[in-house]
Amino acid sequence: MFQATRRRLALWYTTITAVLLLFFASGVYLYVRSTLIERVDDTLNHVVEVVTRSLIIEPLDTTPSELHVNIESSFRDNSDTVEDDHIDLEWFSPTGKLLWSTLSEPLNIPIYPNRTGETVYVSPDHLLRQVTERVEIGRHVMGYLRVSHPWFEVTKPSRQLIVDLSIGIVIMLISVAGIGWFLSGLAIEPVRESYQRLKQFTADASHELRNPIAMIQTNVQVALADPEPIPQHYRQQLQIVERLTRRLGRLVDDLLFLARQDSGIVQPHFVSVPLDALLMDVIEEQQLVAASKDIILSLDIIEPVINTTAETAEDIFTMQGDWDELARLFTNLVSNAVQYTPAGGKVGVKLQQIGRNNHFQLQVKVSDTGIGIPEDALPEIFHRFYRVDSSRTHSKVAGSGLGLAIAGAIVEHHQGQIQIDSKLNQGTTVTVTLR
């Protein structure tokens, strides 16, 4: 129980840290990426300004009143400079025709004047960051200057940053998981010690109470068996004491069983248990109680329809388990069904083999036509000392509220499942599935 709690605490530590680290890493990545893009755009805009200022504008020979850009003179000095920075230049006429370029092949990308920068898709492995400037003198458009920068200047450091952040996050999570496991162990240790002391006290107290209770019960029985006549009112009082002592003894036995289960001091003693034979013994023991209440108690063993040898047929309902615990489990379930079934009712126990693909389980259903359990009480019935309502405790053999808690502990010990389906005033079915 405590190991599971410790694991959950360590998992919560690690999960919360992972979420925080993920947000932090995402913020760092987005900040660095935006900074790289801004730096590339600043570089492109700077190149645009430098190249624009260095343009040589001359009048046309044929029409002196019109101006044009001397391309050879304007870009001759700039081409070598920008090539060192992995920057490409393109010059377009006012009509959008490419007149000069440092690219080996034209991009065939339409012109969109944009000084803020845009990312252009050229091919699956080739992206460019571009800035386009329209060059004007007065209202006369001289042409368009487009400056391009390879996108890998952004993607390469971004990918490296992702790798570095991922490695850092993994190392951090491993460290946090180890530290969380250590800290959760420190946090839960006081609770573990208190719980161990409480369990030890319960076990010791239950063990110490068994002897005086047994002595009281023995003395009362001896007094009742005395051949000398006892006044009737004294006899009735002794009978009440004897009955209450018997009930207290059962309560102490149940507490001692649960305390030993919780503490783990009971070592499992699993042997081959023929479940059909065990259920026959349980039904035989409960038949007298059922008959006294005019209740029909039956056992139905459903043989699987398969072709098996005689030896295999005998092993169909055999499982590995603790005989005493399983006997206690089904005795509790059958006695509960008999106790809360009115006279003239029926209690049926059915054993069958379920499963498929050579993975079979044994299933036992204990059904009754008793008073049933309210639907809102079903989630609580396996809690210790829980009772549905006072109307279920009017019987002289009213339980302590530990029967189903013990049943759940035994089923869990055998790695099985227990389920209860009930309808008020119609009956209850308890299904136990064992491996």
Side-chain angles (χ1 to χ4, degrees):
M1 180 178 68
F2 288 101
Q3 285 296 100
T5 304
R6 186 179 182 183
R7 284 194 296 269
R8 285 196 295 269
L9 284 174
L11 181 61
W12 272 109
Y13 291 152
T14 307
T15 302
I16 293 174
T17 304
V19 172
L20 294 177
L21 287 176
L22 184 61
F23 278 111
F24 174 76
S26 300
V28 170
Y29 171 76
L30 293 176
Y31 172 76
V32 172
R33 188 174 184 275
S34 63
T35 301
L36 290 173
I37 294 175
E38 289 178 1
R39 186 172 299 176
V40 170
D41 289 347
D42 291 342
T43 301
L44 293 176
N45 286 317
H46 177 69
V47 171
V48 167
E49 293 177 0
V50 172
V51 173
T52 302
R53 287 198 301 265
S54 64
L55 291 176
I56 300 175
I57 301 175
E58 301 175 344
L60 288 173
D61 295 337
T62 57
T63 311
S65 59
E66 295 185 7
L67 301 175
H68 77 288
V69 175
N70 189 327
I71 297 176
E72 294 182 0
S73 300
S74 299
F75 293 102
R76 180 181 58 235
D77 298 332
N78 293 322
S79 59
D80 295 335
T81 303
V82 297
E83 184 177 353
D84 295 337
D85 296 329
H86 303 287
I87 295 176
D88 291 300
L89 302 177
E90 295 173 283
W91 177 258
F92 297 88
S93 68
T95 59
K97 180 181 178 181
L98 179 63
L99 300 179
W100 184 87
S101 174
T102 60
L103 295 168
S104 58
E105 295 181 3
L107 297 177
N108 296 323
I109 298 174
I111 299 174
Y112 298 105
N114 186 0
R115 284 297 299 270
T116 60
E118 62 178 346
T119 304
V120 180
Y121 175 87
V122 179
S123 64
D125 57 349
H126 191 192
L127 294 176
L128 295 174
R129 187 72 177 176
Q130 293 183 340
V131 170
T132 304
E133 173 73 5
R134 181 169 58 189
V135 180
E136 297 177 305
I137 296 180
R139 294 184 178 181
H140 182 65
V141 178
M142 304 302 298
Y144 294 90
L145 175 64
R146 186 163 68 187
V147 184
S148 302
H149 193 285
W151 188 246
F152 72 81
E153 295 289 341
V154 175
T155 57
K156 185 177 180 180
S158 298
R159 290 172 182 170
Q160 185 61 43
L161 178 62
I162 291 176
V163 173
D164 295 341
L165 288 175
S166 300
I167 295 175
I169 288 176
V170 171
I171 294 175
M172 184 65 71
L173 287 180
I174 293 175
S175 303
V176 169
I179 295 172
W181 179 259
F182 175 73
L183 292 178
S184 61
L186 292 180
I188 210 169
E189 188 59 30
V191 181
R192 185 202 302 271
E193 292 178 359
S194 299
Y195 185 69
Q196 292 294 343
R197 286 196 295 267
L198 179 61
K199 288 193 301 183
Q200 188 63 40
F201 169 77
T202 304
D204 293 343
S206 300
H207 181 73
E208 294 299 327
L209 284 172
R210 295 179 73 182
N211 288 335
I213 291 174
M215 292 181 62
I216 294 173
Q217 187 172 356
T218 301
N219 289 327
V220 171
Q221 290 174 350
V222 170
L224 290 174
D226 194 335
E228 295 184 5
I230 302 176
Q232 184 64 26
H233 65 281
Y234 288 136
R235 178 175 292 276
Q236 291 177 350
Q237 291 178 356
L238 288 174
Q239 289 174 345
I240 293 174
V241 171
E242 195 268 341
R243 185 169 64 248
L244 293 177
T245 306
R246 191 186 313 121
R247 183 185 304 176
L248 184 58
R250 286 197 302 268
L251 174 60
V252 170
D253 288 340
D254 291 344
L255 286 174
L256 184 59
F257 175 84
L258 290 173
R260 288 175 173 175
Q261 288 288 332
D262 291 341
S263 62
I265 61 176
V266 179
Q267 297 298 324
H269 182 62
F270 280 16
V271 295
S272 295
V273 177
L275 202 56
D276 49 351
L278 184 146
L279 290 174
M280 290 178 186
D281 290 348
V282 172
I283 295 299
E284 183 178 357
E285 293 170 1
Q286 297 295 319
Q287 278 290 4
L288 185 60
V289 180
S292 65
K293 295 186 62 176
D294 194 22
I295 294 175
I296 299 175
L297 178 59
S298 61
L299 173 62
D300 184 15
I301 300 177
I302 301 178
E303 299 282 351
V305 184
I306 54 176
N307 295 324
T308 58
T309 63
E311 294 182 359
T312 305
E314 292 179 358
D315 297 336
I316 289 176
F317 298 113
T318 299
M319 60 168 289
Q320 292 296 314
D322 188 303
W323 176 282
D324 293 333
E325 288 189 3
L326 292 175
R328 185 167 193 163
L329 164 66
F330 293 112
T331 299
N332 279 353
L333 296 181
V334 174
S335 63
N336 276 351
V338 172
Q339 178 179 343
Y340 296 115
T341 299
K346 296 181 180 180
V347 175
V349 180
K350 181 170 71 174
L351 170 63
Q352 62 181 342
Q353 190 184 69
I354 62 172
R356 60 182 63 180
N357 298 331
N358 296 326
H359 181 68
F360 297 102
Q361 296 177 314
L362 297 180
Q363 185 182 82
V364 179
K365 288 188 176 182
V366 181
S367 304
D368 63 59
T369 58
I371 60 178
I373 304 172
E375 185 176 355
D376 57 350
L378 290 176
E380 310 291 336
I381 55 179
F382 289 105
H383 293 175
R384 299 176 185 183
F385 297 105
Y386 178 80
R387 297 181 182 180
V388 177
D389 54 44
S390 58
S391 65
R392 296 174 60 89
T393 62
H394 289 163
S395 171
K396 294 182 179 180
V397 290
S400 59
L402 293 176
L404 289 178
I406 291 175
I410 294 175
V411 172
E412 183 179 357
H413 188 209
H414 286 77
Q415 298 182 351
Q417 296 177 341
I418 183 169
Q419 178 182 351
I420 295 185
D421 300 307
S422 183
K423 291 185 178 180
L424 201 60
N425 299 321
Q426 294 187 25
T428 301
T429 299
V430 182
T431 304
V432 176
T433 305
L434 300 170
R435 297 181 180 180

